[in-house]
């Protein structure tokens, strides 16, 4: 079994993990990236709102990023799934599902989150294509289109305010009794946003492109795009294993330096931020990499 020693292990090799690795590679830190090859945006056709890469596929950005990062001779990439982490006196021991063990002084967790997509026909097939989560990432491509929003409460009002800036035709589908204050109801009414409380039985689509939503009362409404605000859970159990604290929403708690509540453990990307975008993932990864290097410098520069 492989039991190599590194200065830093990064669990997760998508945008934030690769960004952290680049900062560490440029600081000549012996770094290992462990990645399972299952990004959450796997079926998203195009990525947007990231300078120099606008409109590229997630895969294109990822492959180019990996190629550039691995040009740094101290950075290695390991294909596998990390399933266990243990903190010890010398740092951390990471075990993969194949039983491989790797050791490091510091740990960066860049594992992302998993969206809990409702088990409704058509949802999973359309998720990330025309059933979307973020107006900043995808909204421009659906400007002026007839748009639905599957959400309730404060989250629904927040998304509706952003989407209304992009299109005049907005409908909220709450999938049950609408949970809005009188003030919110008045605001939605003033902005001509219809509220539908029926459950959804099917999202009809062609290759992930939404055509209509079939409701439990038998009505069918045509849409060209639908936003969904769904719950999520952490993609990895490792932050919980290590005892990291979480926010009320379920993100890993981190400070402005991307440090968690566990010494030596840093996080970056979607697992610790409400802002889900490539640009934010890259930014937080860069910060995490730089701050880990700073800790390593502080540890030895005595």
């Amino acid at each position: 079994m492989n039991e190599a020693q590194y200065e830093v292990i990064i669990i997760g090799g998508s945008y934030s993990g690769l960004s952290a690795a680049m900062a560490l590679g440029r600081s000549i830190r012996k770094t290992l990236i462990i990645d399972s090859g299952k990004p959450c945006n796997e079926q998203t056709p195009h990525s947007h709102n990231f300078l120099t890469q606008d409109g590229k596929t997630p895969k294109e950005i990822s492959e180019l990023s990996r190629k550039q990062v691995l040009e740094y001779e101290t950075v290695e990439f390991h294909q596998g799934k990390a399933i266990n982490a243990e903190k010890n006196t010398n740092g951390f021991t990471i075990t993969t599902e194949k039983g491989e063990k790797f050791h490091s002084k510091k740990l960066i967790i860049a594992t992302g989150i998993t969206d809990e997509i409702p088990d409704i026909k058509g949802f999973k097939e359309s998720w990330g294509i025309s059933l979307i989560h973020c107006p900043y990432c995808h909204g421009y491509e659906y400007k002026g289109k007839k748009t639905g929003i599957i959400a309730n409460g404060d989250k629904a009002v927040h998304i509706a305010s952003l989407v209304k800036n992009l299109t005049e035709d907005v409908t909220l589908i709450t999938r049950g009794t609408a949970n809005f204050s009188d003030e919110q109801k008045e605001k939605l009414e003033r902005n001509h946003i219809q509220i539908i409380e029926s459950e959804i039985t099917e999202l009809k689509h062609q290759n992930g492109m939404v055509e209509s939503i079939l409701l439990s009362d038998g009505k069918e409404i045509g849409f060209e795009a639908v936003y969904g605000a769904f719950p999520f859970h952490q993609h990895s159990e490792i932050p919980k294993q290590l005892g990291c604290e979480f926010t009320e929403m379920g993100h890993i708690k981190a400070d402005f330096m991307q440090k968690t509540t566990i010494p030596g453990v840093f996080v970056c990307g979607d697992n610790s931020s409400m802002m889900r975008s490539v640009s934010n993932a890259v930014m937080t990864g860069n910060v995490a990499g730089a701050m880990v290097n700073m800790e390593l410098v502080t540890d030895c520069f005595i």
Side-chain angles (χ1 to χ4, degrees):
M1 289 296 169
N2 194 344
E3 292 209 15
Q5 177 72 47
Y6 296 86
E7 290 181 282
V8 187
I9 288 176
I10 301 171
I11 304 176
S14 191
Y15 311 119
S16 63
L18 289 168
S19 180
M22 179 170 280
L24 290 161
R26 293 184 59 79
S27 296
I28 325 177
R29 295 297 181 185
K30 189 175 181 183
T31 304
L32 177 68
I33 306 165
I34 303 175
D35 184 66
S36 64
K38 295 292 182 181
C40 67
N41 60 1
E42 193 169 12
Q43 68 179 29
T44 301
H46 301 285
S47 178
H48 294 284
N49 208 26
F50 183 36
L51 284 171
T52 76
Q53 304 298 314
D54 192 51
K56 295 286 184 67
T57 67
K59 186 177 181 181
E60 283 179 294
I61 300 172
S62 234
E63 287 182 347
L64 177 59
S65 300
R66 186 187 302 181
K67 180 178 182 295
Q68 292 178 344
V69 167
L70 292 180
E71 290 291 325
Y72 294 94
E73 64 274 11
T74 60
V75 180
E76 298 176 24
F77 191 94
H78 179 79
Q79 181 79 39
K81 184 177 180 180
I83 60 170
N84 187 68
E86 294 179 14
K87 194 175 190 320
N88 48 57
T89 54
N90 297 317
F92 303 89
T93 299
I94 307 301
T95 306
T96 70
E97 61 184 353
K98 291 184 179 179
E100 302 150 310
K101 290 185 183 295
F102 302 96
H103 309 282
S104 67
K105 296 177 182 177
K106 307 291 181 182
L107 179 64
I108 298 177
I109 304 174
T111 45
I113 57 177
T114 298
D115 296 291
E116 297 174 4
I117 308 303
D119 188 18
I120 298 173
K121 187 177 180 182
F123 271 48
K124 288 183 179 178
E125 295 85 351
S126 304
W127 183 237
I129 301 173
S130 61
L131 174 59
I132 50 184
H133 78 284
C134 174
Y136 295 106
C137 297
H138 308 291
Y140 183 85
E141 283 62 46
Y142 294 102
K143 65 183 187 300
K145 304 294 186 183
K146 187 173 182 181
T147 302
I149 299 172
I150 304 170
N152 206 345
D154 294 342
K155 187 75 171 178
V157 176
H158 172 67
I159 297 173
S161 68
L162 295 173
V163 174
K164 191 66 168 58
N165 181 60
L166 298 166
T167 179
E168 289 296 319
D169 198 338
V170 180
T171 301
L172 277 175
I173 305 174
T174 59
R175 298 179 60 208
T177 303
N179 181 24
F180 302 120
S181 67
D182 290 340
E183 182 183 351
Q184 289 173 329
K185 288 177 184 176
E186 290 172 8
K187 188 177 288 188
L188 292 169
E189 187 176 342
R190 279 198 306 272
N191 285 279
H192 309 290
I193 295 175
Q194 183 183 4
I195 300 172
I196 295 174
E197 298 179 304
S198 302
E199 183 54 84
I200 298 170
T201 57
E202 183 180 353
L203 188 152
K204 295 187 175 181
H205 66 97
Q206 286 293 328
N207 298 317
M209 299 303 297
V210 174
E211 293 182 337
S212 63
I213 285 180
L214 185 62
L215 302 172
S216 56
D217 59 10
K219 292 181 182 178
E220 185 172 345
I221 306 174
F223 289 108
E224 295 172 272
V226 178
Y227 290 83
F230 307 124
F232 69 87
H233 60 264
Q234 290 288 328
H235 188 67
S236 172
E237 288 293 313
I238 285 176
K240 186 177 178 181
Q241 288 174 6
L242 291 169
C244 294
E245 289 184 24
F246 295 84
T247 67
E248 289 184 5
M249 292 188 65
H251 295 102
I252 304 167
K253 191 178 289 186
D255 65 14
F256 70 99
M257 295 187 293
Q258 301 303 130
K259 294 174 69 171
T260 71
T261 52
I262 302 300
V265 180
F266 292 70
V267 289
C268 51
D270 292 353
N271 63 11
S272 49
S273 174
M274 292 174 60
M275 188 70 176
R276 295 180 66 183
S277 67
V278 176
S279 55
N280 188 65
V282 170
M283 182 275 289
T284 56
N286 183 263
V287 171
M291 293 303 102
V292 166
N293 179 64
M294 192 66 247
E295 278 206 354
L296 290 167
V297 167
T298 302
D299 289 347
C300 67
F301 192 73
I302 54 175

